[in-house]
């Protein structure tokens, strides 16, 4: 039995998984010695149980009693190992990212790894280094990343003396997707299918070798999907090494940290960052699905900009998105305040917008925003739209809003050219069809130029 344990320990230390720090690290030795002694202890108890059974082939009450006495402590120990991560998240709510990182690495050792792709993840690696504990880093190479992202990977490996564990999509699945639907099908029918092949399934394979993972999610990254992420949680979507629901734990050390503070930390520690950040990129993913954001835009607006802002997740953090039939979804409209509130902005009903569509000759041009009050991108342009309405009021242009989410969404897609929120339409005096504002520049001057050129 001792030989079997030694062999297992050697196999683990000689695996292909990258770790920071030498194997002689005292903390690593403590972890190993604990596990070996624990395994040895379990083996001895099992061995004594076999010896007991060997004493007699006939079943009697004394033997059953003695066997039960030996087995019961193992069951009790197993129950004590089950941790309430919801309670742990509450305890760590006021903890610093460094404290949270140290707790995660101390608790899971070599069975946890940092998911790495961007700026927040460099911060995670720096926090891991500061703990002095060994750590692992893995990343998904989708085959569609920017050249600057690959150069960041190389710089990080050299900075920290590590080897990132890269995971790649299945070549057969990628080939089938591209041959059947082309290289850019996501612009036509959504990003979910491509992300499922290139990101979600590779991630699932990677996580099956772990008991926990660490992400750079922040609550302020995406108010529509990430505003309630906890410090630590049982992963609601993926499975870990032991298999089954609840077999994987997800840590979010930066959950309560604001984006500006992350960048202050990166600059202070002088660590590598993606060169694309200097070009206006904030949230960076695959090259075809990422672009710079403009002043007044939320950072996630640079991702999948042609889609509904409420579902800007690739599937890696699918558990953040609430189901439509969730009871909280039914309550959402009651607690979300309306936006674009101004005497110069007309609130159109379904009947009002339909009448506007039918009119061939209008007395004055109309500018209408299709919006959802919960949408962070609509909220970001509220001030500029209200200011624009004040300026257009003296120019004879009507400015209006139409809430196009919920029951009105399908109608808005079919009749009002709704692609994502917000969508801005100009109804000229003479043209029968509305003209869709094509730009992401939603400042007052850009919108004013659009109206002046077409009204």
């Amino acid at each position: 039995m001792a030989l079997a344990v030694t062999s297992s320990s050697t196999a683990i230390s000689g695996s292909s998984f990258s770790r920071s720090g030498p194997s002689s690290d005292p903390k690593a030795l403590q972890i190993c010695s604990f596990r070996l002694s624990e395994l040895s202890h379990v083996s001895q108890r099992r061995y004594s149980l076999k010896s007991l059974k060997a004493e007699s082939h006939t079943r009697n009450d004394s033997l059953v009693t003695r066997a039960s006495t030996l087995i019961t402590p193992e069951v009790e120990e197993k129950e004590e190992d089950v941790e309430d991560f919801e309670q742990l998240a509450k305890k760590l709510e006021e903890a610093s990212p460094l404290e949270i990182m140290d707790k995660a690495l101390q608790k899971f050792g070599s069975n946890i790894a940092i998911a790495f792709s961007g700026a927040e993840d460099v911060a995670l690696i720096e926090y891991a280094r500061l703990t002095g504990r060994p750590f692992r880093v893995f990343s998904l190479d989708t085959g569609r990343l920017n050249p600057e992202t690959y150069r960041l990977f190389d710089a990080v490996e050299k900075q920290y003396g590590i080897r990132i564990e890269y995971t790649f999509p299945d070549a057969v699945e990628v080939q089938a997707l591209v041959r059947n639907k082309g290289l850019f099908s996501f612009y036509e029918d959504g990003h979910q299918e491509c992300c499922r092949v290139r990101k979600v399934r590779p991630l699932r394979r990677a996580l099956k070798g772990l008991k926990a993972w660490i992400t750079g999610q922040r609550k302020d990254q995406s108010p529509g999907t990430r505003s309630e992420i906890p410090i630590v949680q049982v992963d609601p979507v993926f499975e870990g090494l032991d298999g089954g629901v609840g077999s994987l734990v997800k840590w979010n050390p930066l959950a309560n940290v604001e984006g500006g503070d992350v960048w202050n930390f990166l600059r202070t520690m002088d660590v590598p960052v993606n060169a694309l950040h200097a070009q206006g990129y904030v949230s960076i993913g695959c090259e075809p699905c990422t672009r710079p954001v403009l002043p007044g835009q939320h950072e996630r607006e640079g991702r999948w900009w042609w889609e509904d802002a409420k579902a800007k997740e690739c599937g890696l953090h699918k558990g953040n998105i609430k189901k439509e039939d969730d009871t909280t979804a039914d309550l959402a409209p009651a607690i979300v305040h309306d936006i674009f509130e101004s005497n110069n902005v007309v609130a159109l009903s379904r009947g009002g917008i339909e009448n506007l569509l039918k009119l061939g000759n209008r007395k004055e041009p109309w500018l209408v925003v299709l919006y959802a009050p919960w949408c962070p991108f609509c909220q970001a342009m509220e001030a500029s739209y209200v200011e624009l309405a004040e300026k257009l009021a003296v120019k004879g242009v009507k400015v209006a809003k139409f809430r196009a989410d919920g029951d009105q969404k399908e109608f808005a897609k079919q009749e009002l050219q709704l692609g994502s929120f917000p969508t801005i339409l100009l109804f000229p005096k003479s043209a029968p069809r509305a003209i869709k504002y094509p730009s992401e520049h939603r400042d007052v001057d850009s919108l004013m130029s659009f109206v002046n050129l077409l009204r």
Side-chain angles (χ1 to χ4, degrees):
M1 185 64 70
L3 286 174
V5 172
T6 303
S7 174
S8 174
S9 175
T10 303
I12 293 172
S13 63
S15 70
S16 61
F17 293 136
S18 64
R19 295 176 175 81
S20 71
S23 59
S24 59
D25 188 296
K27 291 177 182 174
L29 291 174
Q30 290 172 10
I31 293 171
C32 290
S33 63
F34 170 77
R35 290 179 177 171
L36 288 172
S37 62
E38 184 181 51
L39 286 171
S40 176
H41 180 58
V42 172
S43 300
Q44 289 173 1
R45 285 200 290 194
R46 289 178 180 171
Y47 177 77
S48 62
L49 179 60
K50 288 181 181 178
S51 300
L52 181 60
K53 287 183 178 179
E55 291 177 6
S56 173
H57 291 289
T58 58
R59 183 180 184 277
N60 57 62
D61 293 339
S62 62
L63 182 60
V64 172
T65 303
R66 291 168 68 190
S68 300
T69 303
L70 287 171
I71 293 171
T72 302
E74 290 191 55
V75 175
E76 290 177 351
E77 283 184 358
K78 187 173 182 180
E79 288 177 352
E80 288 175 0
D81 286 341
V82 177
E83 177 145 14
D84 188 340
F85 286 101
E86 188 174 341
Q87 287 298 319
L88 180 59
K90 291 178 180 178
K91 290 179 182 178
L92 295 173
E93 188 65 24
E94 301 299 323
S96 69
L98 182 60
E99 292 175 285
I100 298 166
M101 178 65 71
D102 187 65
K103 181 71 172 178
L105 295 178
Q106 178 270 327
K107 194 168 190 63
F108 288 96
S110 63
N111 288 318
I112 189 171
I114 299 168
F116 172 64
S117 64
E120 291 81 4
D121 309 323
V122 179
L124 292 177
I125 295 174
E126 180 65 14
Y127 281 123
R129 180 191 71 82
L130 292 173
T131 68
R133 299 181 184 275
F135 61 89
R136 295 169 55 188
V137 180
F138 77 95
S139 186
L140 305 176
D141 185 348
T142 65
R144 302 296 293 268
L145 303 178
N146 289 280
E148 291 86 351
T149 300
Y150 290 112
R151 284 194 280 272
L152 172 64
F153 289 163
D154 181 64
V156 166
E157 287 188 328
K158 291 176 179 176
Q159 173 93 359
Y160 294 98
I162 61 173
R163 278 286 175 260
I164 298 172
E165 303 168 34
Y166 296 103
T167 299
F168 302 89
D170 183 271
V172 175
E173 290 186 353
V174 173
Q175 178 176 282
L177 174 63
V178 174
R179 284 186 175 180
N180 291 332
K181 306 187 72 172
L183 287 167
F184 300 98
S185 60
F186 37 80
Y187 289 140
E188 300 174 6
D189 57 12
H191 70 273
Q192 287 80 9
E193 183 178 17
C194 184
C195 285
R196 187 162 53 248
V197 171
R198 294 180 181 272
K199 299 178 75 172
V200 178
R201 287 173 183 162
L203 177 65
R204 181 172 282 112
R205 293 198 306 271
L207 294 178
K208 285 292 287 183
L210 300 170
K211 291 186 178 181
W213 63 310
I214 305 170
T215 84
Q217 291 188 105
R218 304 190 324 270
K219 289 179 180 178
D220 68 339
Q221 276 175 328
S222 184
T225 63
R226 299 187 179 183
S227 60
E228 299 177 9
I229 57 171
I231 297 294
V232 58
Q233 64 187 130
V234 174
D235 196 300
V237 177
F238 296 102
E239 297 181 7
L241 185 63
D242 296 331
V245 178
S247 59
L248 185 71
V249 177
K250 186 176 184 179
W251 293 78
N252 307 301
L254 301 178
N256 295 327
V257 181
E258 295 183 356
D261 292 329
V262 172
W263 275 100
N264 288 336
F265 176 73
L266 294 173
R267 293 187 188 100
T268 301
M269 304 308 292
D270 193 25
V271 298
V273 295
N274 198 316
L276 290 174
H277 291 302
Q279 301 174 34
Y281 291 78
V282 181
S283 178
I284 302 173
C286 292
E287 186 277 331
C289 303
T290 305
R291 67 178 181 181
V293 294
L294 300 165
Q297 289 184 306
H298 190 273
E299 65 181 83
R300 293 292 281 185
E301 198 159 357
R303 305 285 294 278
W304 309 296
W305 56 90
W306 63 93
E307 294 185 15
D308 187 340
K310 194 176 183 180
K312 297 228 173 185
E313 293 288 355
C314 60
L316 304 189
H317 305 294
K318 188 178 179 180
N320 297 338
I321 302 176
K322 291 182 173 61
K323 295 179 180 178
E324 290 297 326
D325 59 353
D326 193 300
T327 53
T328 57
D330 296 332
L331 297 174
I335 59 175
V336 176
H337 298 290
D338 202 9
I339 55 177
F340 305 120
E341 297 280 28
S342 169
N343 293 331
N344 296 309
V345 179
V346 179
L348 293 175
S349 64
R350 170 72 174 267
I353 196 76
E354 286 179 335
N355 288 334
L356 194 58
L357 280 169
K358 293 175 184 176
L359 290 175
N361 293 307
R362 306 174 184 88
K363 292 182 179 180
E364 59 270 306
W366 284 73
L367 186 72
V368 181
V369 60
L370 311 180
Y371 76 104
W374 45 259
C375 170
F377 313 129
C378 297
Q379 295 167 6
M381 67 162 286
E382 180 179 18
S384 60
Y385 194 72
V386 169
E387 182 182 345
L388 177 70
E390 293 176 359
K391 293 184 176 182
L392 290 177
V394 297
K395 292 180 176 289
V397 179
K398 293 285 187 180
V399 178
K401 63 179 182 179
F402 175 67
R403 182 167 177 172
D405 63 340
D407 295 339
Q408 306 300 332
K409 190 172 182 180
E410 284 306 313
F411 161 73
K413 283 184 175 180
Q414 294 176 14
E415 303 295 334
L416 298 172
Q417 309 172 56
L418 175 67
S420 61
F421 295 118
T423 292
I424 301 172
L425 301 175
L426 178 66
F427 293 82
K429 290 177 65 174
S430 56
R433 183 172 171 80
I435 301 171
K436 185 176 179 178
Y437 181 60
S439 174
E440 295 297 327
H441 295 268
R442 298 186 187 121
D443 58 284
V444 175
D445 292 339
S446 298
L447 289 169
M448 182 67 81
S449 297
F450 171 71
V451 173
N452 289 335
L453 289 170
L454 296 173
R455 72 189 179 93

